[in-house]
Amino acid sequence: MTSSSASATEIPVIDPSTIVPRLAELIVGFGANVQPGQTVAVGAEFGKEKLVREITGAAYRRGAKFVDVTYIDPWIKRQRVLHADPETLDQYPSWYGEKMLALGEQRCARIALTGSTEPHLLDDLDSTLVGREQSAPRKESMQVVNDRLTNWSAVPCPTPSWAQLVFPELPVEEALAKLWQQLAWICRLDSDDPIAAWGERMAQLERASNALGEHRFDALHFTGPGTDLTVGLLPSSHFVFAAFSTADGIPHMPNVPSEEVFTSPDPLRVDGVVRATKPLFTNGSLIEDLEVEFSGGKVVRIDASKNADALRALVARDEGAARLGEVALVDGQGRVGATDTIYFDTLLDENAASHIALGAAYSFTVDDDDKAKVNTSQIHVDFMIGSDDVTVAGLSRDGAEVPVLVGGSWRI
Amino acid sequence: MTSSSASATEIPVIDPSTIVPRLAELIVGFGANVQPGQTVAVGAEFGKEKLVREITGAAYRRGAKFVDVTYIDPWIKRQRVLHADPETLDQYPSWYGEKMLALGEQRCARIALTGSTEPHLLDDLDSTLVGREQSAPRKESMQVVNDRLTNWSAVPCPTPSWAQLVFPELPVEEALAKLWQQLAWICRLDSDDPIAAWGERMAQLERASNALGEHRFDALHFTGPGTDLTVGLLPSSHFVFAAFSTADGIPHMPNVPSEEVFTSPDPLRVDGVVRATKPLFTNGSLIEDLEVEFSGGKVVRIDASKNADALRALVARDEGAARLGEVALVDGQGRVGATDTIYFDTLLDENAASHIALGAAYSFTVDDDDKAKVNTSQIHVDFMIGSDDVTVAGLSRDGAEVPVLVGGSWRI
């Protein structure tokens, strides 16, 4: 599943003892940009205590009023899928959504750590049930994100099991050390000033986003092995990147790392076939060799060599789950792609390649006139469709096809 | 700190592999008595995952709709005391209390696991700050308990660090195994039918509670080494025991184990001096050789050989924190006392000996006429004042002194 080709970039060694505290400072001081007096919600799976505690200390040192840590135990989800009434699997307590809305109303900061602690834990279960199980308040989360009420950031945190999934050929300790080294480099912790390094990368993404904005394409056209997909755009679809700001003007970077420019497509105008260029790990299932066909914006076929049912169950969740909420372009200059590694973690993998997402859109990427047109859903599932072999072209409103991304390089 | 005298009861060996699943069944099926369709909130410190997961499975098998697990990481509290603004240490997010009230409104079940995972973690910190730190919604918890809205239960769960505190002379694995064995025996898991065994013990406590009710004492008088304390009772102070029922009639046993009969005293009529008969472990601090003096119901002096400041800070929290909310009598027939072990866990230690609690009262122990008279506070801190050397007498309304508990045996 993992390749380490000779062409992969040589990564400088970073002092391991500095990585966790420096990553905590980056996520608190820059990613989420925690402000004095703020309450900070931190969410992480088991096995990430070391980074969670460093983040907590860093947040209090910056003047946080309270750090509210939520640990997620994947074994609890396993018990639920095994033993709960299947009819109840998509229900969760009222206070999950209410807390999320309160985080927005009270203008809190939010930090999430990604990466699966137990990636194979649900492999032996009924993937339809796994896909149906839900305990995250996705609707309220999307609302708080779209209304830009919280300064937030998500960052990956390695664990031994996750490292073994990524580097199965290595002993677990070596795998874990290698994953930490790669993550530290991807997060620019090799720089004396990681914040300045991220500023330079953001300037590149800003240039691409401005160029896409000037073209005002009617659609994007992806072509490559097994892929011929046209994704219609809305009149006001803006390509944005990860230099965000809350409604109150607090700048933050919602994903660390982030190498993408993205927008909300027209959920009624997506047609053709697309082949995923990386395995998709979602909701506890690893979906391999995924192929999806769209007609009139809607998914009409899902095939995969493994766990297709898990995605089929997600797509059946609601009306919008079978339509697109995001299209994102990633160039070949980012560090995720340079490691030539599959991470089985969306936050990393989506920054290695262009991708689309089924489900809810980020409505802040369109103007008020188009906000009612973007897709809504309880799900948001990204999957990778880009590679050096996939060409992206823009379709102008006059019918011309303009090369946008070829072999990983911008052509606009 | 721990003694294992020759007189301690011989405990039968229980198959270790059966303890966690049988304890989970006892707490779900009898202690909390989870009903089909209920949401179940489970709270536990780190290190108790094995029992938490078994409880979750058992609850879903009984038809629970959702099991909402909250893990508490004591290192987060340490970060807060170390780095947060001291003025903010008693504040916590609005959604903590709101969730507790929702658990009541929605008639949920609640399960808590006691026992400290890291009992020495805060020893080097300022005990005044440790005492000021608060993150549990105590007011809302007391309200939900007093209104009897949830069927709930608390049970201890051993961890390696806790076991080492209890049995410092043993290697950690042996200490942990011994603590599990003692807990299993205390919880009557040696019986083929632990629920029936608890029924027999509850019948004994019911007899004592009825006898106390018939006497309608005006006060209790504790005398022993360093202790001469009179605790006034309210006209309707009922002595209750752990066979509880919710407002909707769901029976449950809020503490497993429970060996006490208790009531709410008159917070204005407590006078004299009392010496704690066991160390008090509260809010992360171990308070040793505690002596407390009362006048007119109020604490006027707190002394201790260690960490007196932690209790002084708690008692300064609010007006009611310096007055009594509970007085409880424990006979010598319970199994906690029989192990002759100090557990540094209130749920176990309070069932070895008679005790009093500073702070909030359980208002359901008095009639409506007296509900406005019982103590209110954000704190509820039990400490042990009973032993075979402490005699408890009842003071009748006509001034007579009637022996109640002498050498651990009922005299009424």
Side-chain angles (χ1 to χ4, degrees):
Chain A
M1 306 299 302
T2 301
S3 62
S4 282
S5 74
S7 68
T9 305
E10 196 71 28
I11 294 179
V13 175
I14 299 172
D15 177 357
S17 71
T18 66
I19 294 177
V20 168
R22 294 190 79 216
L23 189 59
E25 292 291 343
L26 180 68
I27 194 81
V28 169
F30 174 70
N33 191 16
V34 171
Q35 303 293 303
Q38 275 195 311
T39 295
V40 185
V42 179
E45 271 194 6
F46 261 42
K48 299 173 183 176
E49 298 81 46
K50 206 176 157 195
L51 182 55
V52 168
R53 293 166 188 164
E54 286 283 348
I55 285 171
T56 302
Y60 279 125
R61 285 193 298 272
R62 275 180 74 92
K65 186 168 70 178
F66 192 88
V67 181
D68 181 16
V69 173
T70 301
Y71 284 108
I72 298 148
D73 177 358
W75 289 86
I76 298 300
K77 177 175 178 138
R78 181 179 169 85
Q79 294 283 1
R80 187 179 190 202
V81 173
L82 275 174
H83 300 298
D85 176 354
E87 296 304 311
T88 65
L89 286 174
D90 60 349
Q91 297 169 34
Y92 52 87
S94 58
W95 50 89
Y96 281 37
E98 287 159 7
K99 171 181 168 179
M100 182 58 67
L101 295 178
L103 285 167
E105 284 158 16
Q106 298 174 31
R107 303 296 192 268
C108 301
R110 295 187 301 127
I111 293 171
L113 303 187
T114 70
S116 177
T117 302
E118 292 285 352
H120 291 299
L121 188 62
L122 307 180
D123 284 359
D124 60 326
L125 304 185
D126 180 334
S127 61
T128 305
L129 295 182
V130 171
R132 192 183 296 168
E133 196 277 341
Q134 189 181 347
S135 53
R138 293 182 177 127
K139 184 177 145 234
E140 291 86 354
S141 297
M142 288 303 290
Q143 183 179 331
V144 166
V145 167
N146 278 324
D147 293 347
R148 300 186 298 129
L149 300 179
T150 60
N151 40 312
W152 64 281
S153 194
V155 68
C157 179
T159 62
S161 301
W162 178 28
Q164 278 193 298
L165 180 71
V166 179
F167 304 114
E169 73 282 8
L170 295 180
V172 59
E173 284 304 317
E174 277 180 52
L176 183 60
K178 183 170 180 175
L179 186 54
W180 270 115
Q181 286 290 328
Q182 289 197 353
L183 178 68
W185 182 73
I186 287 169
C187 290
R188 274 72 167 176
L189 297 185
D190 57 311
S191 167
D192 288 339
D193 188 346
I195 295 177
W198 278 112
E200 289 169 27
R201 178 60 175 154
M202 289 298 108
Q204 294 170 349
L205 299 183
E206 186 174 15
R207 197 207 59 75
S209 133
N210 287 340
L212 284 161
E214 284 161 19
H215 276 283
R216 298 193 63 242
F217 291 123
D218 180 56
L220 294 178
H221 185 204
F222 295 81
T223 49
T227 290
D228 184 353
L229 182 75
T230 303
V231 178
L233 300 175
L234 292 167
S236 73
S237 292
H238 301 297
F239 280 87
V240 301
F241 60 106
F244 276 29
S245 172
T246 67
D248 298 326
I250 303 172
H252 62 107
M253 185 162 155
N255 287 178
V256 176
S258 181
E259 313 274 7
E260 60 174 341
V261 293
F262 66 97
T263 194
S264 301
D266 184 341
L268 304 179
R269 294 196 300 129
V270 182
D271 291 277
V273 180
V274 64
R275 185 177 291 174
T277 51
K278 290 173 185 281
L280 164 61
F281 186 71
T282 187
N283 219 23
S285 293
L286 187 67
I287 301 165
E288 298 188 49
D289 304 311
L290 174 65
E291 197 173 278
V292 182
E293 185 173 346
F294 292 84
S295 178
K298 196 162 181 179
V299 172
V300 292
R301 178 172 62 86
I302 293 175
D303 283 316
S305 66
K306 200 177 152 195
N307 288 324
D309 282 343
L311 188 62
R312 290 183 189 129
L314 279 169
V315 160
R317 176 69 57 76
D318 54 37
E319 172 63 23
R323 296 182 183 274
L324 287 192
E326 180 185 345
V327 57
L329 302 181
V330 176
D331 66 29
Q333 305 305 304
R335 287 189 172 183
V336 179
T339 67
D340 201 19
T341 302
I342 298 173
Y343 291 102
F344 305 97
D345 179 57
T346 300
L347 178 54
L348 285 169
D349 289 328
E350 74 171 349
N351 284 298
S354 298
H355 54 275
I356 51 181
L358 291 163
Y362 297 106
S363 66
F364 58 79
T365 61
V366 299
D367 292 345
D368 284 347
D369 284 352
D370 285 338
K371 282 196 196 297
K373 295 180 195 159
V374 302
N375 200 31
T376 58
S377 171
Q378 288 192 60
I379 75 163
H380 181 93
V381 179
D382 295 278
F383 63 98
M384 306 316 124
I385 64 169
S387 80
D388 284 359
D389 299 327
V390 176
T391 294
V392 185
L395 302 180
S396 299
R397 282 163 211 284
D398 60 9
E401 186 152 347
V402 180
V404 169
L405 205 52
V406 180
S409 297
W410 296 107
R411 293 295 169 86
I412 55 169
Chain B
M1 306 301 301
T2 302
S3 62
S4 283
S5 76
S7 68
T9 304
E10 197 71 29
I11 294 179
V13 175
I14 299 171
D15 177 358
S17 70
T18 67
I19 295 177
V20 169
R22 295 190 79 214
L23 189 59
E25 292 291 343
L26 180 69
I27 195 80
V28 169
F30 174 69
N33 191 15
V34 171
Q35 303 293 303
Q38 277 195 309
T39 295
V40 184
V42 179
E45 272 194 3
F46 261 41
K48 300 175 181 175
E49 298 80 47
K50 205 176 157 196
L51 182 55
V52 168
R53 294 166 187 163
E54 286 283 348
I55 284 171
T56 301
Y60 279 126
R61 284 193 298 270
R62 275 180 73 91
K65 186 167 71 178
F66 192 88
V67 181
D68 181 18
V69 173
T70 301
Y71 285 108
I72 298 149
D73 177 359
W75 288 87
I76 298 301
K77 177 174 179 140
R78 181 178 168 85
Q79 295 282 1
R80 188 180 189 201
V81 173
L82 275 174
H83 300 298
D85 176 354
E87 296 303 313
T88 65
L89 285 175
D90 60 350
Q91 298 169 34
Y92 51 87
S94 59
W95 49 89
Y96 281 37
E98 286 160 7
K99 172 181 167 179
M100 182 58 68
L101 295 178
L103 285 167
E105 284 159 16
Q106 297 174 31
R107 303 295 193 268
C108 301
R110 296 187 301 126
I111 293 171
L113 303 186
T114 71
S116 177
T117 302
E118 292 284 352
H120 292 299
L121 188 62
L122 308 179
D123 285 358
D124 60 326
L125 304 186
D126 180 336
S127 61
T128 306
L129 295 182
V130 172
R132 192 183 298 168
E133 196 276 340
Q134 189 181 345
S135 52
R138 293 182 176 125
K139 184 177 146 236
E140 290 86 353
S141 297
M142 288 304 288
Q143 183 180 330
V144 166
V145 166
N146 278 324
D147 292 347
R148 300 187 298 128
L149 300 179
T150 60
N151 40 313
W152 63 282
S153 195
V155 68
C157 179
T159 63
S161 301
W162 179 27
Q164 278 194 297
L165 180 71
V166 179
F167 304 114
E169 72 282 8
L170 296 180
V172 59
E173 284 303 319
E174 277 179 51
L176 183 59
K178 183 171 181 176
L179 186 54
W180 270 115
Q181 285 290 328
Q182 290 197 353
L183 178 69
W185 182 73
I186 287 168
C187 290
R188 275 72 167 176
L189 297 186
D190 58 312
S191 166
D192 287 339
D193 187 348
I195 294 177
W198 277 111
E200 287 170 29
R201 179 59 176 154
M202 289 297 108
Q204 294 170 350
L205 299 182
E206 185 174 17
R207 199 207 59 75
S209 132
N210 287 341
L212 285 161
E214 283 161 19
H215 276 282
R216 297 192 65 240
F217 292 123
D218 181 55
L220 296 177
H221 185 203
F222 295 80
T223 49
T227 290
D228 185 352
L229 183 74
T230 302
V231 178
L233 301 176
L234 293 167
S236 73
S237 291
H238 301 296
F239 280 87
V240 300
F241 60 106
F244 276 30
S245 172
T246 67
D248 297 327
I250 302 172
H252 62 108
M253 184 162 155
N255 287 179
V256 177
S258 180
E259 313 274 7
E260 60 174 341
V261 294
F262 66 98
T263 193
S264 301
D266 184 341
L268 304 178
R269 295 195 300 129
V270 182
D271 291 277
V273 179
V274 65
R275 185 177 291 174
T277 50
K278 291 174 184 281
L280 166 60
F281 186 72
T282 187
N283 218 25
S285 292
L286 186 67
I287 301 165
E288 297 189 51
D289 303 311
L290 174 65
E291 196 174 280
V292 181
E293 186 174 345
F294 292 83
S295 177
K298 195 162 181 179
V299 171
V300 293
R301 179 173 63 85
I302 292 174
D303 282 318
S305 65
K306 199 177 152 196
N307 287 325
D309 282 343
L311 188 61
R312 290 183 189 129
L314 278 170
V315 160
R317 175 70 55 78
D318 54 39
E319 172 61 24
R323 296 183 183 273
L324 287 193
E326 180 184 347
V327 57
L329 302 180
V330 177
D331 66 29
Q333 305 306 304
R335 288 189 170 181
V336 178
T339 66
D340 201 19
T341 301
I342 299 173
Y343 291 102
F344 305 97
D345 179 57
T346 300
L347 178 53
L348 284 168
D349 290 329
E350 75 170 347
N351 284 299
S354 297
H355 55 274
I356 51 181
L358 291 163
Y362 297 105
S363 66
F364 58 80
T365 62
V366 299
D367 292 345
D368 284 348
D369 284 352
D370 286 338
K371 282 197 196 298
K373 296 179 194 159
V374 302
N375 199 32
T376 57
S377 171
Q378 287 191 62
I379 75 162
H380 180 94
V381 180
D382 296 276
F383 62 99
M384 307 316 125
I385 64 167
S387 78
D388 284 358
D389 299 328
V390 176
T391 293
V392 185
L395 301 180
S396 299
R397 281 162 213 284
D398 61 9
E401 185 151 346
V402 180
V404 169
L405 206 51
V406 180
S409 297
W410 296 107
R411 292 296 168 88
I412 54 169

